[in-house]
Amino acid sequence: MIGLIGIILSLILLMYLAYRGYSVIILAPLLALFAVLWSGLSHEVLGFYSQIFMTGLGGYIIKYFPLFLLGAVFGKLMDDSGSAKTIANFFVEKLGHKRAMLSIVLSCAILTYGGVSLFVVGFAVFPIAAALFKELGIPKRLIPAAIVLGALTFTMTALPGTPAIQNAIPMPFFNTDLYAAPGLGILASIFILFSGMWWLNKRVNSAHLNQEGYGQHVESHHYSKELTQSESPSLMIAMTPIFVVIIINLVLTKLILPNLDTAYLATDKFGNTSLSSVVGLWAIICALILACLTIIVLNWKYIANLKDSLQQGVSSSFLPIFNTASEVGYGSVIASLAGFIILRDFLVGLAPNNPLISEAIVINVLAGITGSASGGLSIALNTMGETYMNLAQQFSISPELMHRVASMASGALDSLPHNGAVITIIALCGLTHKQSYYDMFIIAVIIPLIALIGVITLGTMFGSF
């Protein structure tokens, strides 16, 4: 029982100190060893650090570093070539001012579904949204919620095929690919998009009735509607890399890779693995490499300094993966403690006849504690992934359904006020939590939770589809 108290205290401290702005890279090992000490294993502290924490951290980096690296480089190239802004401008121009909110949401959705990171999307779309909202008298405080709806909800966790890391993490645990449970994912995505738009439009109408207007703000970004051909690529050129990611990923996953002779993977040399456990990672890695090459070839004249773009993309990938990997190392230590067995049995027992419910609760809670969808998901599956796979087999639940529920569960309570993406978006827009977070909470927490409940209900009734 003392060990369990140590684990709970460790989790509370992790949440509080991360919210206060301390680096998870420092917090994770210290608080993991804090839990070890509470378990009465002070003589094993160094062993826990070098053999369990660092092994967990290193294993995560080995598995997912290519996705973080290529995703960051792809996003930087899309940004520096002007492609991201071209796509955002297209939706604004075609949908018109009357559908300003929808144009911003769809711009973010297309970019993130194509593999562009949230931070690049935010920097590309915010100046456009600010100018548009100011012209139409829409409150600036709604911009973060619009960006979140397009970039941090259905395109991150629900829409089949999305290259987001939150959709990739469950693959090796359930032997699935990015297209797991496509029907349920599409239904959830439609619900989130339409519900989110309903809420945002309702808030806009309420603001108009109250004659609120855009508000008095000092703008640090400037947006010009005049973008000449020499400054940015055409829409077709801008969209081509996104099509490459989507199409190549699908073709490799469903047609090419399954037909290759991969029997060699079952040998000791290659870790006695199988194609099903790596096909999703292989496909998205190849798709992102080809997409990056496509951007470079098609946008050679638009990228001012290719070397700098590549270097900045590479550099920007390090902090995110080490943050998440540190949380995985933390989870590995916690999972190895005797107190965790009590906690694990309690969590599984929350819904003894339906592991989908237990899985959703565990991942949501851990994502909320860490303030990270990928961090909470990684901790949950690294500590309990095998347990949930065994339960899925026991209750005849499709691994694809387990994958989709796991992915969607990571994208709800993660968006509490201490979430890094939430903080970044609000800061980018020059706003405060008090001004903007209420609408972000509805869009990124409440609506995805309702969608998750719907997926669990449909999956329980009809299975995966």
Side-chain angles (χ1 to χ4, degrees), residues 269-293:
K269 181 178 179 180
F270 292 95
N272 298 301
T273 189
S274 63
L275 177 64
S276 60
S277 65
V278 296
V279 65
L281 289 171
W282 285 5
I284 189 58
I285 287 171
C286 293
L288 285 171
I289 289 173
L290 290 174
C292 288
L293 292 175

Side-chain angles (χ1 to χ4, degrees), residues 308-349:
D308 284 352
S309 295
L310 292 174
Q311 184 59 47
Q312 290 173 25
V314 170
S315 298
S316 66
S317 70
F318 295 150
L319 184 59
I321 192 168
F322 271 95
N323 275 335
T324 307
S326 295
E327 291 171 343
V328 171
Y330 170 86
S332 299
V333 172
I334 297 300
S336 68
L337 299 175
F340 180 76
I341 297 175
I342 301 173
L343 183 60
R344 182 196 64 192
D345 292 344
F346 168 75
L347 294 172
V348 171

Side-chain angles (χ1 to χ4, degrees), residues 109-162:
I110 291 295
L111 288 168
T112 50
Y113 186 67
V116 181
S117 73
L118 163 71
F119 304 103
V120 171
V121 170
F123 279 103
V125 173
F126 167 67
I128 301 172
L132 193 59
F133 280 34
K134 188 171 186 178
E135 180 180 342
L136 299 176
I138 300 174
K140 183 184 181 183
R141 61 180 172 79
L142 295 177
I143 295 178
I147 294 175
V148 161
L149 177 58
L152 270 185
T153 56
F154 64 98
T155 58
M156 184 177 81
T157 64
L159 201 58
T162 176

Side-chain angles (χ1 to χ4, degrees), residues 134 139-140 212-219 430-431 435:
K134 188 171 186 178
K140 183 184 181 183
E212 179 179 342
Y214 181 75
Q216 298 298 318
H217 304 280
V218 177
E219 303 292 2
L431 297 166
Q435 292 171 306

Side-chain angles (χ1 to χ4, degrees), residues 67-374:
L67 291 186
F68 280 85
L69 173 65
L70 293 169
V73 170
F74 177 76
K76 186 60 179 173
L77 290 173
M78 286 289 288
D79 187 20
D80 288 356
S81 67
S83 297
K85 185 163 287 188
T86 293
I87 294 169
N89 272 292
F90 169 78
F91 282 101
V92 171
E93 293 170 2
K94 294 301 179 183
L95 291 176
H97 287 190
K98 291 183 179 180
R99 296 184 179 88
M101 190 67 73
L102 180 61
S103 67
I104 297 303
V105 171
L106 289 182
S107 298
C108 295
I110 291 295
L111 288 168
T112 50
Y113 186 67
V116 181
S117 73
L118 163 71
F119 304 103
V120 171
V121 170
F123 279 103
V125 173
F126 167 67
I128 301 172
L132 193 59
F133 280 34
K134 188 171 186 178
E135 180 180 342
L136 299 176
I138 300 174
K140 183 184 181 183
R141 61 180 172 79
L142 295 177
I143 295 178
I147 294 175
V148 161
L149 177 58
L152 270 185
T153 56
F154 64 98
T155 58
M156 184 177 81
T157 64
L159 201 58
T162 176
I165 191 66
Q166 292 80 5
N167 192 33
I169 289 172
M171 294 191 299
F173 296 97
F174 300 117
N175 293 330
T176 50
D177 57 47
L178 296 177
Y179 299 90
L184 289 169
I186 290 172
L187 288 176
S189 298
I190 292 172
F191 173 81
I192 293 171
L193 175 59
F194 277 77
S195 298
M197 286 305 307
W198 169 80
W199 176 263
L200 290 175
N201 286 329
K202 174 187 174 185
R203 298 287 283 171
V204 170
N205 292 334
S206 176
H208 283 331
L209 288 175
N210 294 328
Q211 298 182 330
E212 179 179 342
Y214 181 75
Q216 298 298 318
H217 304 280
V218 177
E219 303 292 2
S220 59
H221 293 75
H222 300 282
Y223 165 61
S224 172
K225 294 181 181 178
E226 301 299 327
L227 287 173
T228 66
Q229 182 64 26
S230 61
E231 293 172 331
S232 60
S234 67
L235 178 67
M236 182 59 68
I237 291 177
M239 288 293 292
T240 297
I242 289 179
F243 290 140
V244 168
V245 173
I246 297 170
I247 294 172
I248 296 300
N249 181 30
L250 179 62
V251 170
L252 287 172
T253 300
K254 301 298 184 182
L255 299 177
I256 297 178
L257 293 178
N259 293 316
L260 296 179
D261 179 10
T262 56
Y264 65 89
L265 290 174
T267 63
D268 292 339
K269 181 178 179 180
F270 292 95
N272 298 301
T273 189
S274 63
L275 177 64
S276 60
S277 65
V278 296
V279 65
L281 289 171
W282 285 5
I284 189 58
I285 287 171
C286 293
L288 285 171
I289 289 173
L290 290 174
C292 288
L293 292 175
T294 300
I295 298 175
I296 293 171
V297 171
L298 296 181
N299 296 276
W300 187 264
K301 64 180 179 180
Y302 301 119
I303 301 175
N305 191 319
L306 177 60
K307 184 177 72 173
D308 284 352
S309 295
L310 292 174
Q311 184 59 47
Q312 290 173 25
V314 170
S315 298
S316 66
S317 70
F318 295 150
L319 184 59
I321 192 168
F322 271 95
N323 275 335
T324 307
S326 295
E327 291 171 343
V328 171
Y330 170 86
S332 299
V333 172
I334 297 300
S336 68
L337 299 175
F340 180 76
I341 297 175
I342 301 173
L343 183 60
R344 182 196 64 192
D345 292 344
F346 168 75
L347 294 172
V348 171
L350 292 173
N353 297 318
N354 192 341
L356 292 172
I357 297 175
S358 171
E359 179 187 46
I361 293 173
V362 170
I363 294 173
N364 254 303
V365 170
L366 287 173
I369 289 171
T370 59
S372 166
S374 58

